[in-house]
Amino acid sequence: DIVMTQTPLSLSVTPGQPASISCKSSQSLLHSDGKTYLYWYLQKPGQSPQLLIYEVSNRLSGVPDRFSGSGSGTDFTLKISRVEAEDVGVYYCMQSIQLPRTFGQGTKVEIK
Amino acid sequence: EVQLVESGGGLVQPGGSLRLSCAASGFTFSSYSMNWVRQAPGKGLEWVSYISSSSTTIFYADSVEGRFTISRDNAKNSLYLQINSLRAEDTAVYFCVREPTFTSAFDIWGQGTMVTVSS
């Protein structure tokens, strides 16, 4: 199975400041079709997870542009340019290049 | 409104069975592959099972292979998960999840149904 490793596991951020979460995979997520199968989700407190970014850097419709994803191969990053109170929760990366689909451990983001 | 609503969870003894259901609305259910993802209390996310739009392709996580059965009824806009031989480690919230047509991700999640395995 592909192991997804997120760092840090928790993050305390002052509103308006940036935040960055790293996700590393144990194997390359670049498929022969040219796509990289790396996704980011946010699970807000008491809610189901929601998809933020697909295939490394594509924001889902309705996701604020303060969220951005980057990376390639095995190293990926989710950045929040200016954290807002509504961004609190647990962020997960996920790979779907290979079964089973696997998630990172999650990064808990809270507001200072 | 696009919606997935799970039901069927509950408290069950080890070795018991449950059938989870997921009612889909607001989209053409028969056009989408679907999945089940679970989350143990206070833990992260674990993919459980996948079924293609026409039920021709099905996959399971190793941890549930042989004990869980995914199925769907496109005429009823419903997804199911039959879970047998339940173990304590199956205790989790089970989410019904839609897979969009444009990428291999999970774009719509239900609110989840809790399965507790305990004697």
Side-chain angles (χ1 to χ4, degrees):
Chain A
D1 297 0
I2 295 178
V3 177
M4 306 295 288
T5 303
Q6 289 182 230
T7 54
L9 297 184
S10 66
L11 205 49
S12 184
V13 187
T14 301
Q17 293 300 301
S20 179
I21 300 170
S22 170
C23 176
K24 296 183 188 298
S25 58
S26 60
Q27 300 176 34
S28 176
L29 303 185
L30 174 62
H31 195 274
S32 56
D33 64 7
K35 296 181 180 180
T36 299
Y37 289 86
L38 185 280
Y39 305 85
W40 289 98
Y41 298 85
L42 165 60
Q43 187 172 29
K44 296 183 178 181
Q47 296 186 18
S48 304
Q50 58 187 92
L51 178 65
L52 295 177
I53 289 180
Y54 64 95
E55 293 168 18
V56 180
S57 58
N58 299 285
R59 276 189 307 276
L60 202 66
S61 176
V63 173
D65 60 8
R66 63 180 180 274
F67 290 94
S68 64
S70 62
S72 63
T74 61
D75 288 355
F76 306 94
T77 302
L78 175 70
K79 292 183 179 177
I80 311 173
S81 59
R82 295 172 305 280
V83 172
E84 297 187 5
E86 65 181 24
D87 300 336
V88 299
V90 181
Y91 290 78
Y92 295 94
C93 59
M94 185 197 83
Q95 65 80 21
S96 65
I97 192 171
Q98 179 187 107
L99 288 174
R101 292 166 180 181
T102 48
F103 294 86
Q105 320 95 300
T107 296
K108 186 174 184 178
V109 173
E110 60 179 21
I111 298 295
K112 279 184 183 176
Chain B
E1 178 191 6
V2 174
Q3 198 171 10
L4 297 169
V5 179
E6 301 94 335
S7 61
L11 174 62
V12 61
Q13 292 187 341
S17 298
L18 279 176
R19 190 194 196 204
L20 308 184
S21 299
C22 171
S25 60
F27 65 99
T28 306
F29 180 71
S30 59
S31 297
Y32 290 84
S33 298
M34 299 294 294
N35 294 261
W36 288 96
V37 174
R38 68 184 180 182
Q39 185 171 37
K43 301 298 184 182
L45 301 168
E46 179 188 16
W47 170 79
V48 172
S49 184
Y50 162 95
I51 186 168
S52 62
S53 58
S54 58
S55 304
T56 52
T57 302
I58 286 174
F59 298 115
Y60 298 99
D62 286 348
S63 58
V64 307
E65 179 86 55
R67 300 187 299 121
F68 289 17
T69 302
I70 192 171
S71 62
R72 64 191 295 163
D73 185 336
N74 287 341
K76 294 183 178 179
N77 292 331
S78 294
L79 177 72
Y80 306 102
L81 187 68
Q82 177 68 41
I83 49 180
N84 300 328
S85 303
L86 278 159
R87 306 166 180 168
E89 54 265 35
D90 295 319
T91 294
V93 174
Y94 285 74
F95 296 102
C96 166
V97 187
R98 189 182 82 168
E99 186 161 330
T101 56
F102 59 89
T103 191
S104 299
F106 308 137
D107 69 338
I108 303 295
W109 297 63
Q111 86 289 348
T113 187
M114 183 71 202
V115 172
T116 302
V117 184
S118 176
S119 55

